[in-house]
């Protein structure tokens, strides 16, 4: 017989593909032909209409809604969870044979095109991680595209390209914007165009993260307040941690509004007008009034505190700056450290800038190395982010670590802080200097004591990698080893 199947697990990363492999192998062992469509975090390659038409039966191995179920109307179906497919693929194939012999069963309507991949029956801790990973999965393409374009702009035009292009806040420095394309090309060339495009993609990191965390919690109605909350987190300087808060806030507020019992006449406008209006207002107010002011005050206090420490031991200050650079990866604490480095640069102290830059390079580098050393500790999506992490880390784009930190903050962030503190302390102790405010490996020719600078980055990368792997080995199950060969392309697409 000929069968088709669709597999989809709550996170859309591992079990989706494990179920697909189990069904394909069980069908082959029973002498049948099976074609599987995986609806995972990497998206899906829809089954060919001709393949569906000639199928004797359909197997839905899914713990979330299967998209476009109407394609299979009129076909005998077997419905089960992904664990049933993994543990008893042969049993599901036997059920498919029986269903084909008995005739067609009705096909239920499909679910939404966007997939939250959250198991509503799981415990709160599991659902929280799935909410965060939903935001991360939609954010990763922005990290990869924006980060690599910015890195290429530095490679072509040097670190000064940021000052030439401007028009945004990059690593805590606000530049005046170029008004039109002709000015952009004449002042910065193709490097400026790349930087402008990459910076715009990077500006969307926190809003997309926040919006799709809220989507994971409250479905489509959570997207609008989540993205607005993320934009406000960026505008108020709350950064990626503020984005996590705004996403969870937006999801919680939207969920509460969806549960309200209202008159039938009002119910029709609730999802279109009332829920997005009220949730956006509430989340926006909280982000501006409650989150923004404390963060601004904390930034001022940190700057003053660092100024009081600048006369102390260089390695102690370097370690503190390293801790701050890795704490929120482009957020307010990171920006305080970077701005302090710029102030030191203006006063002729190039050591602090070198410590800040090196400490900002090791988080994505250490995570990239960790995904190679222990692949089975990371999901396919994380391994893909690790591949981009090499270039992002070498280019001093600390935000390359955000996908990992957002998905597992309590293990990843402390590990990154240890590695960055080690790096900052070593750079300061070695007396390496950097007159360039940005650029990473691409400005190594300008760095004083470059070999010692690179040595400090290498040591910090190893320390970060070791701490991450140690943290992931404590109190958490290993991620499934790898996707199958035919699904690895889909993981890359994510």
């Amino acid at each position: 017989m000929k069968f088709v199947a669709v597999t989809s697990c709550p996170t859309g990363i591992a079990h989706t593909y494990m179920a697909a492999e189990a069904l394909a192998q069980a069908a082959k062992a029973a002498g049948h032909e099976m074609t599987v469509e995986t609806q995972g975090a990497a998206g899906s390659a829809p089954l060919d209409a001709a393949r569906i038409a000639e199928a004797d039966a359909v197997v839905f191995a899914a713990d979330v809604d299967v998209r476009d179920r109407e394609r299979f109307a009129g076909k005998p179906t077997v419905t089960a969870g992904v664990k049933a497919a993994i543990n008893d693929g042969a049993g599901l194939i036997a059920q498919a044979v029986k269903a084909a012999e008995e005739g067609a069963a009705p096909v239920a309507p499909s679910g939404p095109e966007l997939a939250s991949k959250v198991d509503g029956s799981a415990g709160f801790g599991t659902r929280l991680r799935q909410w965060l990973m939903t935001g991360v999965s939609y954010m990763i393409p922005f990290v990869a595209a924006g980060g690599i374009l910015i890195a290429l702009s530095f490679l072509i035009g040097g670190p000064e390209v940021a000052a030439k292009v401007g028009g945004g806040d990059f690593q805590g420095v606000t530049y005046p914007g170029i008004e039109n394309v002709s000015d952009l090309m004449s002042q910065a060339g193709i490097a400026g165009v790349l930087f402008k495009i990459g910076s715009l993609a990077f500006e969307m990191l926190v809003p997309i993260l926040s919006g799709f965390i809220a989507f994971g919690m409250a479905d489509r109605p959570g997207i609008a307040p989540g993205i607005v909350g993320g934009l406000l987190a960026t505008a108020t300087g709350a950064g990626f941690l503020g984005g996590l808060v705004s996403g969870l806030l937006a999801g919680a507020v939207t969920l509460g509004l969806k549960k309200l019992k209202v008159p039938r006449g009002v119910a029709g406008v609730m999802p279109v007008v009332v829920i997005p209006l009220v949730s956006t207002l509430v989340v926006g107010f909280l982000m501006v009034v409650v989150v923004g002011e404390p963060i601004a005050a904390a930034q001022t206090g940190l700057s003053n505190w660092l100024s009081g420490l600048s006369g102390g031991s260089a390695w102690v200050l370097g370690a503190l700056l390293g801790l701050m650079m890795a704490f929120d990866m482009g957020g307010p604490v990171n920006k305080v450290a970077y701005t302090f480095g710029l102030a030191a640069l203006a006063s002729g102290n190039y050591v602090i800038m070198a410590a800040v830059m090196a400490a900002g390079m090791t988080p994505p580098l250490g995570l990239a190395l960790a995904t190679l050393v222990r692949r089975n500790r990371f999901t396919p999506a994380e391994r893909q982010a690790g591949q981009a992490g090499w270039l992002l880390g070498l280019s001093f784009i600390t935000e390359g670590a955000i996908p990992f930190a957002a998905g597992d903050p309590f293990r990843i962030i402390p590990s990154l802080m240890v590695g960055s503190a080690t790096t900052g302390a070593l750079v300061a102790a070695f007396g390496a200097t950097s007159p360039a405010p940005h650029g990473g490996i691409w400005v190594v020719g300008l760095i004083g004591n470059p070999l010692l600078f690179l040595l400090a980055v290498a040591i910090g990368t190893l320390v970060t990698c070791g701490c991450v792997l140690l943290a992931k080995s404590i109190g958490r199950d290993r991620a499934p080893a790898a996707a199958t060969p035919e699904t690895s392309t889909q993981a890359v697409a994510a």
Side-chain angles (χ1 to χ4, degrees):
M1 288 186 174
K2 294 182 179 180
F3 300 121
V4 293
V6 179
T7 62
S8 183
C9 70
T11 58
I13 295 174
H15 289 81
T16 296
Y17 305 107
M18 293 168 64
E21 179 67 16
L23 287 174
Q25 291 180 354
K28 183 178 180 181
H32 304 298
E33 184 179 329
M34 168 69 77
T35 305
V36 186
E37 174 184 321
T38 54
Q39 295 185 357
S44 64
L47 287 164
D48 185 75
R51 180 71 67 177
I52 296 175
E54 65 183 9
D56 296 299
V58 182
V59 178
F60 293 132
D63 293 328
V64 294
D65 285 336
V66 172
R67 300 189 292 275
D68 296 328
R69 292 173 70 111
E70 294 85 355
R71 296 173 293 164
F72 308 97
K75 293 290 180 182
T77 62
V78 173
T79 301
V82 290
K83 289 185 178 179
I86 295 170
N87 298 330
D88 188 21
L92 288 184
I93 297 301
Q95 292 182 42
V97 171
K98 183 178 179 181
E101 293 172 347
E102 292 179 351
V107 176
S110 62
E113 287 298 318
L114 292 174
S116 63
K117 303 301 181 184
V118 175
D119 182 1
S121 63
F124 176 77
T126 299
R127 282 184 290 132
L128 176 61
R129 182 163 56 85
Q130 291 172 350
W131 295 334
L132 298 178
M133 287 307 300
T134 297
V136 169
S137 67
Y138 285 99
M139 181 189 69
I140 284 176
F142 291 84
V143 175
I148 292 174
L149 285 172
I150 291 173
L152 288 174
S153 73
F154 285 135
L155 177 61
I156 296 170
E160 65 274 10
V161 70
K164 290 180 180 179
V165 176
D169 185 345
F170 189 71
Q171 287 287 354
V173 185
T174 301
Y175 301 103
I178 289 176
E179 296 295 333
N180 55 62
V181 175
S182 61
D183 286 345
L184 178 64
M185 291 298 294
S186 63
Q187 293 186 38
I190 188 64
V193 174
L194 294 176
F195 181 87
K196 198 73 172 178
I197 297 171
S199 339
L200 182 61
F202 251 42
E203 287 176 10
M204 294 305 298
L205 294 188
V206 173
I208 292 299
L209 174 67
S210 175
F212 283 93
I213 288 174
F215 168 69
M217 296 176 68
D219 212 336
R220 291 177 185 270
I223 294 178
I227 288 180
V228 172
L231 288 168
L232 289 171
T234 301
T236 58
F240 128 78
L241 293 178
L244 293 180
V245 173
S246 66
L248 295 171
L249 274 176
V253 172
T254 304
L255 274 177
L257 292 171
K258 288 173 66 176
K259 292 179 180 179
L260 291 177
K261 294 183 177 180
V262 297
R264 181 170 298 180
V266 181
V269 298
M270 284 291 289
V272 180
V273 178
V274 178
I275 291 178
L277 173 63
V278 176
S279 59
T280 301
L281 175 61
V282 171
V283 173
F285 181 83
L286 291 174
M287 291 303 296
V288 172
V289 176
V290 178
V291 176
E293 289 298 325
I295 287 176
Q299 283 186 275
T300 302
L302 282 172
S303 297
N304 295 336
W305 182 57
L306 285 175
S307 297
L309 290 175
S310 59
S313 299
W315 71 269
V316 175
L317 182 58
L320 287 172
L321 291 170
L323 289 171
M324 295 171 67
M325 288 298 293
F327 176 70
D328 55 359
M329 292 148 280
V333 176
N334 172 285
K335 288 181 178 179
V336 167
Y338 186 79
T339 304
F340 185 76
L342 289 177
L345 196 64
S347 66
N349 185 337
Y350 297 165
V351 173
I352 290 179
M353 190 69 249
V356 166
M357 184 156 64
M361 294 168 66
T362 55
L365 288 175
L367 286 164
L369 180 60
T371 61
L372 290 181
V373 175
R374 287 288 186 271
R375 289 175 59 83
N376 64 335
R377 300 286 184 188
F378 301 91
T379 67
E382 288 173 332
R383 294 198 290 269
Q384 177 63 21
Q387 294 176 21
W390 290 110
L391 182 57
L392 300 181
L394 291 174
S395 304
F396 181 30
I397 301 175
T398 316
E399 288 87 343
I402 289 178
F404 298 87
D408 193 7
F410 298 110
R411 289 180 175 84
I412 296 296
I413 292 177
S415 302
L416 302 184
M417 291 173 68
V418 173
S420 291
T422 302
T423 308
L426 287 174
V427 168
F430 291 158
T433 60
S434 174
H438 212 287
I441 195 72
W442 314 116
V443 296
V444 72
L446 303 176
I447 291 175
N449 295 325
L451 294 180
L452 291 177
F453 176 88
L454 294 175
L455 177 62
V457 171
I459 293 173
T461 298
L462 292 173
V463 171
T464 300
C465 173
C467 290
V468 166
L469 295 179
L470 177 62
K472 279 194 165 287
S473 68
I474 298 174
R476 184 177 179 182
D477 293 336
R478 296 185 180 186
T484 64
E486 58 189 18
T487 59
S488 61
T489 301
Q490 295 173 320
V492 169

